[in-house]
Amino acid sequence: SGNPGGWHVVVAIADVAHYARPGDGLDLEARRRGNSVYFPDRVLPMLPEALSNGLCSLRPDEDRACLAAHLWYDRQGRKLRHRFVRGLMRSRARLTYEQIQAAFDGAPDPTTTPLLDGVIRPLYGAYAALAKARRKRGTLDLDLPEAEVRMGPDGRPTAIVTRPRLDSHRLIEEFMIGANVAAAETLDQAGMHCMYRIHDAPDAIKLEALAQLLQSLGMGRGPETLARPADLSRLLEQLKEHELSPIVSQLVLRAQSQAAYGPRNIGHFGLNLGHYAHFTSPIRRYADLIVHRALIAALRLGDDGLEDSVTIDDMQTLGAHLSRCERRAMEAERNAMSRFVALLLAERVGSAFWGRVTGVQKFGLFVRLDETMAEGLVPVATLGEYFAYDPGRQALIGRSSGTALALGCR
């Protein structure tokens, strides 16, 4: 009432802080690990399975402890207010992203049919309002393809596929962002230590390099026109149907600063937000558990909140540790994916594949295959004739044939 056309969104997250208390064995081991690590064939969890897949898993028709963010938005997607509560929730169904999308698109199944009018359509209505506000705010939207390994019964890879990006994925992400913002704002207003998720703007050298690369692709732009998230997003939108769009998206990604955790807030450049913290995944990220504890302490929601003795220096040290854990996990996940791709392609030595040039250097070409997203180096000595490197064109030029092998070529 009093908010015609507006929305009330509730984001309920498992109350991990209720089970993992500061300084106990669960807490110390979770802190050491920093986060869960996801490999194609297994997960190395931050928390024991009894919690991650049991007591802290929101199973249908079972009461579960939760920390919930109530978010009120107007019809334009502007947040009016928010409130955090601690309590019990009971999930009505466990749905996949594909199920929700199919139901909204007109193909509900027996599970989603009774939820269509009361739950699923309102979810998409709220998402439409938040997406409108996001576009107006101007964010960096890198909808990059994500590879998924299909495994056979023998534990060997059978295929590498591109995971589809659905609006059901995007709407959950948007609600999670809303809850994360609300958590950071609440802790800032309370004067409480917060483990912010910080993302600095790209430095001038990276923007200059990006501008030069775009110029070599015939998309000349000065670094000053790429300084804001909205500028970069506009560039990607303009190139959406261009064959070089995936390459430019990768170049924009490489130009970004590394996101990190820390108690000193500098905002989040990519999302164009002044306050941002990770709140929504305390099962798999220790930073989120710290944010939960800080909210519990700030809002007096229990005696298991962040301890008064924790200092800003303690949080700075912890933030640096969690940032290192995150980078270590990302590197391990990338290396594991590369090994599975190599294992799959080992059986196809001598086959021909379509691919695209993703990098050009004096010593050769970096190529990504279309089918498997596998990446590798093609040394210049294997190209059959002498090729000279032309940095201005981002190309290798054949001395005899004049063939240009340039960034983005297929």
Side-chain angles (χ1 to χ4, degrees):
S1 65
N3 184 21
W7 302 95
H8 174 199
V9 177
V10 183
V11 180
I13 305 298
D15 190 358
V16 177
H18 176 67
Y19 299 97
R21 302 297 178 104
D24 69 11
L26 276 176
D27 177 55
L28 295 176
E29 182 61 18
R31 177 185 177 126
R32 187 183 71 82
R33 296 185 179 208
N35 46 247
S36 297
V37 186
Y38 294 84
F39 297 122
D41 62 338
R42 72 195 68 188
V43 177
L44 297 181
M46 184 182 79
L47 294 171
E49 190 173 353
L51 285 181
S52 58
N53 288 334
L55 290 170
C56 295
S57 179
L58 301 180
R59 292 178 177 174
D61 301 316
E62 294 184 20
D63 287 344
R64 286 290 185 264
C66 70
L67 190 58
H70 287 258
L71 310 167
W72 285 270
Y73 296 95
D74 68 14
R75 65 195 308 161
Q76 301 301 319
R78 293 180 295 236
K79 183 162 69 68
L80 301 175
R81 66 186 189 279
H82 66 262
R83 180 167 65 96
F84 286 91
V85 298
R86 201 178 193 189
L88 292 176
M89 70 158 287
R90 181 178 284 249
S91 172
R92 292 176 61 185
R94 173 174 282 174
L95 306 175
T96 67
Y97 290 103
E98 291 76 16
Q99 263 184 300
I100 294 177
Q101 191 64 52
F104 182 73
D105 291 340
D109 60 27
T111 304
T112 54
T113 295
L115 301 174
L116 194 55
D117 291 331
V119 177
I120 295 174
R121 287 198 179 108
L123 280 175
Y124 279 82
Y127 165 63
L130 268 64
K132 183 191 298 183
R134 181 187 180 112
R135 287 191 295 272
K136 186 173 182 180
R137 186 172 81 241
T139 65
L140 175 55
D141 293 317
L142 287 171
D143 235 353
L144 296 169
E146 190 176 346
E148 179 182 350
V149 180
R150 295 273 169 85
M151 307 294 292
D154 59 353
R156 294 176 65 85
T158 58
I160 311 289
V161 298
T162 301
R163 192 174 285 143
R165 284 280 293 161
L166 306 172
D167 275 350
S168 55
H169 292 104
R170 296 185 181 96
L171 73 83
I172 294 298
E173 289 169 6
E174 205 60 45
F175 298 150
M176 296 298 179
I177 289 171
N180 289 341
V181 169
E185 289 177 347
T186 296
L187 293 175
D188 180 62
Q189 290 163 9
M192 191 79 186
H193 292 328
C194 180
M195 187 61 74
Y196 292 103
R197 179 63 168 175
I198 51 179
H199 182 219
D200 208 350
D203 65 35
I205 294 174
K206 286 184 176 180
L207 285 180
E208 181 66 41
L210 175 60
Q212 289 177 2
L213 278 170
L214 290 173
Q215 195 164 13
S216 75
L217 294 173
M219 305 169 192
R221 281 172 171 79
E224 69 284 349
T225 69
L226 303 172
R228 298 177 305 157
D231 299 332
L232 295 167
S233 206
R234 195 176 303 115
L235 166 69
L236 297 174
E237 184 63 32
Q238 290 168 351
L239 299 174
K240 200 169 186 178
E241 304 303 322
H242 197 287
E243 62 175 4
L244 294 181
S245 177
I247 300 294
V248 176
S249 294
Q250 284 291 338
L251 294 175
V252 170
L253 177 63
R254 290 171 192 167
Q256 299 309 301
S257 300
Q258 177 81 46
Y261 293 108
R264 293 183 170 87
N265 185 33
I266 61 169
H268 196 292
F269 171 80
L271 293 172
N272 198 16
L273 292 167
H275 293 82
Y276 195 66
H278 276 165
F279 160 80
T280 53
S281 296
I283 292 174
R284 64 183 181 90
R285 291 188 304 228
Y286 193 79
D288 301 52
L289 177 54
I290 292 295
V291 170
H292 276 229
R293 287 177 180 160
L295 287 168
I296 291 166
L299 301 174
R300 297 180 175 83
L301 299 177
D303 60 0
D304 47 356
L306 196 65
E307 310 99 305
D308 292 337
S309 59
V310 174
T311 68
I312 192 81
D313 288 339
D314 293 334
M315 294 284 274
Q316 188 74 33
T317 301
L318 177 58
H321 164 70
L322 297 178
S323 299
R324 286 193 300 271
C325 289
E326 179 185 44
R327 288 192 289 272
R328 181 181 63 193
M330 289 171 61
E331 186 67 24
E333 290 166 3
R334 273 198 300 267
N335 288 343
M337 177 63 77
S338 296
R339 288 173 182 270
F340 274 91
V341 171
L343 188 60
L344 180 68
L345 294 179
E347 301 170 359
R348 302 176 66 180
V349 172
S351 301
F353 304 93
W354 284 103
R356 191 178 292 277
V357 176
T358 58
V360 182
Q361 297 292 336
K362 185 184 296 186
F363 50 81
L365 305 168
F366 290 95
V367 175
R368 173 182 290 167
L369 303 185
D370 294 350
E371 180 185 341
T372 59
M373 295 177 66
E375 289 188 278
L377 172 67
V378 180
V380 70
T382 66
L383 295 176
E385 64 173 298
Y386 177 79
F387 277 79
Y389 177 50
D390 184 340
R393 294 170 60 184
Q394 280 291 298
L396 291 174
I397 312 297
R399 175 176 288 177
S400 304
S401 64
T403 300
L405 302 174
L407 193 65
C409 281
R410 294 190 80 223

